[in-house]
Amino acid sequence: MKKILYLVLILSFTSSAQSLAGRKFALDPGHGSPRSATCEPETKRFETYVNHIVVPYLKQYLISAGATVITTRADFDSLGPCITLSDREAIANNNNVEYFQSVHHNAFQGTANYSLVLFEQIRTLSCPTGNPQWPGQTDVMAAIQAQKLFANMYTTNGYPRGDSCFLGYNLGVLNNLNMPGTLSEGSFFDFPQERIRLANLDYLRTEAQTLFYSFLQYYNQPLPSYATITGVITNSALGTPVKKVRVEIPSAGKTYMIDSLGNGYYRFDSLAAGSYTIYAYTSTDTSSFNINVAAGSINKANFSIEQAEDVGPVKLLSVTPGPGTINLSWEKPSGLTDTIDIYLSEDGTNFPSVPFRKVAGSVTSLSISGLTPNQSYYVKLKGRNIFGESPYFSKTYGAYTASSGDRVLIVDAFNRYGGSGSYQFPYHNFASYYGEALTQLGIRFATVTNSAITNSTQLNGNKYIIWFCGDESTADETFTTQEQNFVKTYLQNGGYFLTTGSEIAWDLDSRGSATDKDFINNWLKASFSADNPTPNTPVATGVQNTIFQRAEPFNFGQTYPEDWADVISPAGGSSAILRYNATQTAGIAWKGLYPTASNEGAVVFISFPLETISDAASRKFLIEKSFQFFNNGVLDATDEDEDLKPETYNISVYPNPFNPVTRIDVKLPETAEYRLEVYDVLGSKVLDIFSGELSAGKYTFTLDMSLYNSGIYFLRVVSEKINHTQKLVLVK
């Protein structure tokens, strides 16, 4: 993951007569450093980010009133070094502050959203707020904060509570303080609509201002002379918050543009007391709201306006092949959609500027026929109406238009973007990186998003699966329990499974449940060793004397940065195929019988995102060797071209590469039954050259592959004592 540099917005307001001069406070942004085993899980990452924005804002407010403020963590740094609860208390105690405030945003399975402020209790004889450790202080501050947070944020209530009554135990961050302290849970970050509001920096500024006003009231100081107006504007037709609406107070010369996140939130600060008319403008309507504001107040002005909702992004679900055909399916985007624009490419990177096809906005599937057989095609989509288009393209998916042959299913399980992840965009064309490698190998493929897989049958119809997780991790689930069950069934049925991603082992083994650990240890045949290699350089090499060995290293982290690639270890009889260095493994391979299976399944697990390798030849090499292993189960490079080959046996193929005819000269050491056969890279026999008895001697065969696609094939010469494989390259 990459550390994010946040843009610090300096607070601007006019100070009044209030004074906190001579007072010293400690502010604690709750949680942090989710990568550390001793800190919070990655599921807390968004809350961590929010807490580390609110606290610096609150710090600026308090300093403006003359207070001295220290913080337990660096400003705006949610990914800095881990700090324990005892460390946080020690900072406050060692600096002799007079009040301690810890800022959090609780979570409850997305079903609640209230404001809560907790203080330490010495006993629970009188619940919910009796027997505080600091009577007349922390219980008073908790009541002030809870009431104000509820009034100024969009929560359902505000509750002051003693920690023992509410939790059944004392909060670790409060129980050893030498001064009064409270812990505010402003709102629930996992409540869907609240999460969108918490992504707005001005909403976080309002929370910080609310806590600041609580300090002023607690210390009997006057409120500032300025007023603040905030609000949520909704779409009068749909009842949902608006996006990208301009809001103005002409008499104050103020303008605000509501963001595109879907929270409808706006804020005007530094207003003199008085009456104001607020106007909102869309392309179809103008709406206004009148409000009187007093000095030192935070005022909500919620109203509605008619807005033709923008078209949302299109979620592409699958692209599957037919002879000269590709079949598309997608989800209908949000908003009023007039058309879906479909863009077509032959390489997944270069698209024309105009759509290949337009369909009605209500349509969610399409077959495109008349395409060249045995060719890869890729699509990306946008929705459109008279007001505009989707904010960005869908992901790019593709398929290979062959009518027969074993099929590879590419599963895109990389849905994470933004935040502290390495990849910041809600769209990508990474499926084409795998598709183009398969195209060069002449292998039929389809692409599907992991969320569209609802039963194991969708996997079982494919001989091979490439499941790429990219930078996905616990917050977004590399493999859900349902997905794990689908993959298990697939492997039990003899499937071949290639998976790649930087956080799979960290998610499943380091942070996972017992079910997760069973899946990675016993089905993916690996275990978690470390969160990144030492030294942490984005380079891997093939293990010596295996088919993955080559002279050049594999440089990854190029398509997008990857600085937290997992280090894994072989488990359950698997073998290392890639290493970061002499001792740390970057990939494993295993083939055999899974529990209750009658056919051998196989897995190759690469613990960094293969698509971050920018060199197409390297990506192709890793995929080709993975499929070679799937089909013959041999990793030893000494067995790749030669097995049981007598000294007097000899073979030559010339020309090679060839188009489309080549000559095979073979010297046989003894009379025996011989077979000369040609196989594709998937291990399927495509051609018999000869089968029968031959005497010792020299023979010449002509191989004509004019009916076959360009690609790599393998010539096999087999007898009782000979089992020899020779690579063939057909170039048309």
Side-chain angles (χ1 to χ4, degrees):
M1 312 310 158
K2 300 299 291 182
K3 182 180 290 188
I4 303 300
L5 297 177
Y6 299 111
L7 177 63
V8 180
L9 303 178
I10 304 300
L11 298 171
S12 175
F13 50 81
T14 304
S15 182
S16 184
Q18 75 276 5
S19 175
L20 295 173
R23 301 194 180 278
K24 191 175 185 180
F25 306 124
L27 303 181
D28 171 49
H31 308 295
S33 189
R35 302 294 305 192
S36 171
T38 59
C39 282
E40 313 302 330
E42 195 156 314
T43 50
K44 290 280 189 180
R45 177 167 291 185
F46 181 71
E47 181 189 4
T48 298
Y49 159 77
V50 170
N51 299 338
H52 284 253
I53 297 295
V54 173
V55 162
Y57 282 176
L58 175 57
K59 176 182 176 181
Q60 292 294 326
Y61 276 115
L62 291 169
I63 290 174
S64 73
T68 299
V69 181
I70 62 169
T71 55
T72 61
R73 299 287 300 278
D75 290 350
F76 301 99
D77 182 15
S78 62
L79 296 178
C82 178
I83 181 170
T84 66
L85 300 180
S86 297
D87 292 336
R88 298 165 195 262
E89 293 174 312
I91 291 171
N93 292 337
N94 294 339
N95 283 276
N96 195 31
V97 304
E98 64 179 280
Y99 203 93
F100 176 88
Q101 180 71 38
S102 188
V103 173
H104 295 248
H105 291 80
N106 31 334
F108 194 72
Q109 300 176 346
T111 59
N113 187 37
Y114 54 80
S115 298
L116 174 70
V117 184
L118 297 170
F119 57 87
E120 184 184 5
Q121 287 177 306
I122 57 176
R123 62 182 67 88
T124 58
L125 297 180
S126 178
C127 285
T129 58
N131 309 112
Q133 177 69 38
W134 302 88
Q137 298 178 75
T138 54
D139 52 335
V140 172
M141 176 67 98
I144 294 171
Q145 289 184 354
Q147 183 274 326
K148 288 187 179 296
L149 287 169
F150 167 57
N152 297 331
M153 299 181 71
Y154 285 82
T155 54
T156 58
N157 214 324
Y159 299 108
R161 291 290 185 268
D163 56 359
S164 291
C165 286
F166 188 80
L167 300 170
Y169 57 86
N170 288 125
L171 284 164
V173 77
L174 298 180
N175 62 3
N176 288 314
L177 291 173
N178 296 335
M179 76 293 300
T182 43
L183 184 150
S184 63
E185 300 274 15
S187 61
F188 285 66
F189 79 89
D190 66 341
F191 190 75
Q193 194 57 49
E194 183 66 13
R195 186 180 181 92
I196 300 174
R197 284 189 288 266
L198 289 170
N200 183 297
L201 294 178
D202 287 316
Y203 188 65
L204 302 185
R205 186 184 299 186
T206 298
E207 180 178 352
Q209 184 182 3
T210 298
L211 293 172
F212 170 55
Y213 283 12
S214 299
F215 274 84
L216 293 177
Q217 182 175 335
Y218 178 77
Y219 285 103
N220 297 312
Q221 294 299 308
L223 295 173
S225 60
Y226 59 83
T228 300
I229 299 175
T230 71
V232 169
I233 301 178
T234 56
N235 187 328
S236 58
L238 301 174
T240 56
V242 298
K243 303 175 184 178
K244 296 187 293 186
V245 167
R246 188 175 86 255
V247 189
E248 294 184 358
I249 302 181
S251 62
K254 292 183 177 291
T255 300
Y256 188 96
M257 180 61 72
I258 292 177
D259 63 32
S260 61
L261 299 176
N263 52 57
Y265 190 78
Y266 73 93
R267 171 186 167 95
F268 292 112
D269 205 348
S270 303
L271 294 167
S275 298
Y276 295 95
T277 300
I278 307 167
Y279 294 89
Y281 304 93
T282 71
S283 58
T284 57
D285 189 22
T286 300
S287 184
S288 62
F289 187 89
N290 298 318
I291 186 171
N292 295 317
V293 298
S297 63
I298 302 175
N299 305 268
K300 283 182 180 176
N302 303 329
F303 58 105
S304 63
I305 189 170
E306 181 180 311
Q307 181 183 36
E309 191 174 1
D310 291 341
V311 183
V314 182
K315 182 176 182 180
L316 190 54
L317 299 177
S318 66
V319 178
T320 59
T325 301
I326 58 173
N327 307 298
L328 291 57
S329 70
W330 61 90
E331 287 183 357
K332 186 179 182 300
S334 62
L336 178 64
T337 308
D338 293 331
T339 64
I340 299 292
D341 294 355
I342 299 166
Y343 295 77
L344 187 70
S345 167
E346 293 185 3
D347 61 10
T349 300
N350 299 296
F351 284 86
S353 59
V354 296
F356 175 80
R357 188 78 53 83
K358 290 177 177 284
V359 297
S362 58
V363 173
T364 57
S365 64
L366 179 70
S367 291
I368 300 177
S369 58
L371 303 176
T372 303
N374 303 317
Q375 167 69 49
S376 59
Y377 290 93
Y378 302 89
V379 296
K380 62 181 182 180
L381 284 63
K382 262 192 177 184
R384 190 179 301 277
N385 64 20
I386 62 174
F387 299 102
E389 60 182 26
S390 299
Y392 47 83
F393 282 103
S394 71
K395 295 178 182 179
T396 298
Y397 288 173
Y400 187 76
T401 59
S403 58
S404 62
D406 295 323
R407 192 176 79 170
V408 180
L409 182 64
I410 301 172
V411 179
D412 171 21
F414 188 15
N415 305 304
R416 179 185 189 186
Y417 63 91
S420 57
S422 296
Y423 190 73
Q424 294 292 301
F425 304 101
Y427 52 85
H428 61 67
N429 68 335
F430 300 146
S432 69
Y433 289 27
Y434 297 91
E436 284 302 276
L438 296 171
T439 298
Q440 293 179 45
L441 297 171
I443 304 173
R444 190 167 65 125
F445 69 89
T447 311
V448 64
T449 181
N450 64 316
S451 62
I453 298 175
T454 57
N455 61 76
S456 58
T457 304
Q458 293 169 274
L459 300 184
N460 294 339
N462 303 275
K463 185 174 182 180
Y464 308 89
I465 288 176
I466 297 177
W467 190 296
F468 71 94
C469 297
D471 197 37
E472 198 90 348
S473 59
T474 302
D476 305 279
E477 284 286 349
T478 50
F479 286 92
T480 66
T481 301
Q482 183 183 57
E483 290 171 345
Q484 292 174 29
N485 291 332
F486 293 162
V487 173
K488 289 178 183 179
T489 300
Y490 172 76
L491 291 170
Q492 285 173 322
N493 288 334
Y496 297 151
F497 192 74
L498 167 61
T499 188
T500 169
S502 63
E503 307 295 339
I504 297 172
W506 183 81
D507 174 16
L508 296 175
D509 205 5
S510 176
R511 298 282 174 159
S513 64
T515 300
D516 294 335
K517 293 177 186 294
D518 171 75
F519 179 68
I520 185 172
N521 297 157
N522 298 318
W523 297 85
L524 299 186
K525 301 296 182 178
S527 61
F528 175 80
S529 292
D531 203 16
N532 56 275
T534 306
N536 191 6
T537 54
V539 177
T541 57
V543 172
Q544 289 187 352
N545 299 320
T546 72
I547 60 175
F548 288 86
Q549 179 183 355
R550 69 170 193 173
E552 302 84 8
F554 301 99
N555 296 296
F556 61 90
Q558 298 169 319
T559 307
Y560 60 86
E562 186 44 69
D563 55 358
W564 290 95
D566 282 344
V567 179
I568 59 175
S569 296
S574 66
S575 300
I577 57 171
L578 297 170
R579 296 193 192 281
Y580 299 112
N581 50 56
T583 61
Q584 294 187 303
T585 299
I588 61 90
W590 181 88
K591 186 174 184 180
L593 289 174
Y594 283 97
T596 73
S598 56
N599 297 314
E600 284 190 326
V603 62
V604 170
F605 174 14
I606 297 173
S607 60
F608 58 84
L610 193 152
E611 73 274 4
T612 64
I613 298 175
S614 63
D615 177 47
S618 296
R619 298 195 300 262
K620 173 176 170 286
F621 177 89
L622 288 171
I623 292 172
E624 179 183 356
K625 293 302 178 182
S626 297
F627 283 21
Q628 181 180 332
F629 167 74
F630 286 153
N631 285 286
N632 61 32
V634 175
L635 285 175
D636 189 349
T638 61
D639 292 336
E640 184 180 5
D641 293 324
E642 184 173 9
D643 185 22
L644 300 174
K645 187 168 67 176
E647 287 294 325
T648 55
Y649 168 81
N650 186 53
I651 189 171
S652 68
V653 179
Y654 184 83
N656 189 22
F658 62 96
N659 177 24
V661 178
T662 190
R663 169 175 164 163
I664 302 169
D665 292 313
V666 60
K667 179 182 178 182
L668 302 176
E670 62 184 9
T671 301
E673 293 286 330
Y674 291 92
R675 301 195 317 272
L676 279 72
E677 306 162 332
V678 177
Y679 289 78
D680 63 19
V681 292
L682 300 182
S684 299
K685 185 166 67 173
V686 298
L687 187 63
D688 285 310
I689 301 174
F690 176 83
S691 179
E693 183 178 275
L694 293 172
S695 301
K698 297 180 180 179
Y699 296 87
T700 297
F701 300 91
T702 298
L703 175 60
D704 184 350
M705 298 192 70
S706 57
L707 299 179
Y708 296 87
N709 298 324
S710 297
I712 294 174
Y713 297 84
F714 297 94
L715 169 66
R716 289 189 63 195
V717 180
V718 181
S719 71
E720 183 179 355
K721 295 183 179 180
I722 296 173
N723 186 358
H724 177 216
T725 301
Q726 178 88 19
K727 182 188 288 186
L728 304 173
V729 181
L730 174 60
V731 179
K732 290 186 176 182

Coordinates of all heavy atoms in Angstrom, one line a residue, residues 5 21 49 78 125 216 230 250 275 438 478 538 585 588 597 636 638 644 686-687 731:
L5 N -0.7 11.2 1.0 CA -0.4 12.6 1.4 C -1.7 13.3 1.4 O -2.2 13.5 0.3 CB 0.7 13.2 0.6 CG 2.1 12.6 0.7 CD1 3.0 13.3 -0.3 CD2 2.6 12.6 2.1
A21 N -6.6 30.4 26.7 CA -5.2 30.7 27.0 C -4.8 30.1 28.3 O -5.6 30.1 29.3 CB -4.9 32.2 27.0
Y49 N -8.7 6.9 8.9 CA -8.5 8.1 8.1 C -9.3 9.3 8.6 O -8.9 10.4 8.7 CB -8.8 7.8 6.7 CG -9.2 8.9 5.8 CD1 -8.2 9.7 5.2 CD2 -10.5 9.2 5.4 CE1 -8.5 10.8 4.4 CE2 -10.8 10.2 4.6 CZ -9.8 11.1 4.1 OH -10.1 12.1 3.3
S78 N -2.6 8.8 9.2 CA -3.3 7.6 9.7 C -2.5 6.3 9.5 O -2.9 5.3 10.0 CB -4.7 7.4 9.0 OG -4.5 7.2 7.6
L125 N -22.7 1.0 39.7 CA -23.8 0.9 40.7 C -25.0 1.7 40.1 O -26.2 1.5 40.5 CB -23.4 1.4 42.0 CG -22.4 0.6 42.8 CD1 -22.0 1.2 44.1 CD2 -22.8 -0.9 42.9
L216 N -15.5 25.0 24.6 CA -15.8 26.4 25.1 C -16.9 26.4 26.1 O -16.9 27.1 27.1 CB -16.3 27.2 23.9 CG -15.2 27.5 22.8 CD1 -15.8 28.3 21.7 CD2 -14.0 28.3 23.5
T230 N -24.8 24.7 7.6 CA -24.6 23.5 6.9 C -25.9 22.9 6.5 O -27.0 23.3 7.0 CB -23.8 22.5 7.8 OG1 -24.7 22.0 8.8 CG2 -22.6 23.1 8.4
P250 N -25.8 34.8 -2.1 CA -25.3 36.0 -2.8 C -25.0 37.1 -1.9 O -24.0 37.9 -2.1 CB -26.5 36.3 -3.7 CG -27.2 34.9 -3.9 CD -27.1 34.3 -2.6
S275 N -30.0 37.4 8.7 CA -30.9 36.6 7.8 C -30.2 36.4 6.5 O -29.6 37.3 5.9 CB -32.2 37.3 7.6 OG -32.9 37.5 8.8
L438 N -2.8 -14.9 -23.1 CA -3.6 -16.1 -23.6 C -3.7 -16.1 -25.1 O -3.7 -17.1 -25.8 CB -4.9 -16.2 -22.9 CG -4.8 -16.4 -21.3 CD1 -6.2 -16.3 -20.7 CD2 -4.2 -17.8 -21.0
T478 N -10.4 -10.6 -0.2 CA -9.8 -11.3 -1.3 C -10.6 -12.4 -1.8 O -10.9 -12.6 -2.9 CB -8.3 -11.7 -1.0 OG1 -8.4 -12.5 0.2 CG2 -7.4 -10.6 -0.9
P538 N 10.6 -4.5 -5.5 CA 9.6 -5.2 -6.3 C 10.3 -6.1 -7.4 O 10.1 -5.8 -8.6 CB 8.8 -4.0 -6.9 CG 9.8 -2.9 -7.0 CD 10.7 -3.1 -5.8
T585 N 9.8 -16.6 -0.4 CA 9.1 -17.1 -1.5 C 8.0 -16.1 -2.0 O 7.3 -15.5 -1.2 CB 8.4 -18.4 -1.1 OG1 9.4 -19.4 -0.7 CG2 7.6 -19.0 -2.3
I588 N 4.1 -20.3 -5.4 CA 4.2 -21.8 -5.2 C 3.4 -22.5 -6.3 O 2.5 -21.8 -6.9 CB 3.7 -22.2 -3.8 CG1 2.2 -21.7 -3.6 CG2 4.6 -21.6 -2.7 CD1 1.2 -22.8 -4.0
A597 N -11.6 -35.9 -3.9 CA -11.5 -35.7 -5.4 C -11.1 -37.0 -6.0 O -10.3 -37.8 -5.5 CB -10.5 -34.6 -5.7
D636 N 10.5 -29.7 -12.5 CA 12.0 -29.9 -12.7 C 12.3 -29.5 -14.2 O 11.8 -30.1 -15.1 CB 12.3 -31.3 -12.4 CG 13.9 -31.5 -12.4 OD1 14.6 -30.6 -12.9 OD2 14.3 -32.6 -12.0
T638 N 15.0 -30.0 -15.8 CA 15.7 -31.1 -16.4 C 14.8 -32.1 -17.1 O 15.2 -32.8 -18.0 CB 16.6 -31.8 -15.5 OG1 15.8 -32.4 -14.4 CG2 17.6 -30.9 -14.8
L644 N 14.5 -40.1 -20.3 CA 14.8 -41.4 -20.8 C 15.2 -41.3 -22.3 O 14.8 -42.1 -23.1 CB 13.6 -42.3 -20.7 CG 13.1 -42.5 -19.3 CD1 11.8 -43.4 -19.3 CD2 14.1 -43.2 -18.4
V686 N -3.4 -32.1 -30.6 CA -4.1 -31.5 -31.7 C -3.8 -32.2 -33.0 O -4.5 -32.0 -34.0 CB -3.7 -30.0 -31.8 CG1 -4.1 -29.2 -30.6 CG2 -2.1 -29.9 -32.1
L687 N -2.7 -33.1 -33.0 CA -2.3 -33.7 -34.3 C -1.5 -35.0 -34.1 O -0.6 -35.0 -33.2 CB -1.5 -32.7 -35.1 CG -1.1 -33.1 -36.6 CD1 -2.4 -33.3 -37.4 CD2 -0.2 -32.0 -37.2
V731 N 4.3 -19.5 -36.7 CA 4.1 -18.1 -36.9 C 3.4 -17.9 -38.3 O 4.0 -18.3 -39.3 CB 5.4 -17.3 -36.8 CG1 5.2 -15.8 -37.1 CG2 6.1 -17.5 -35.5

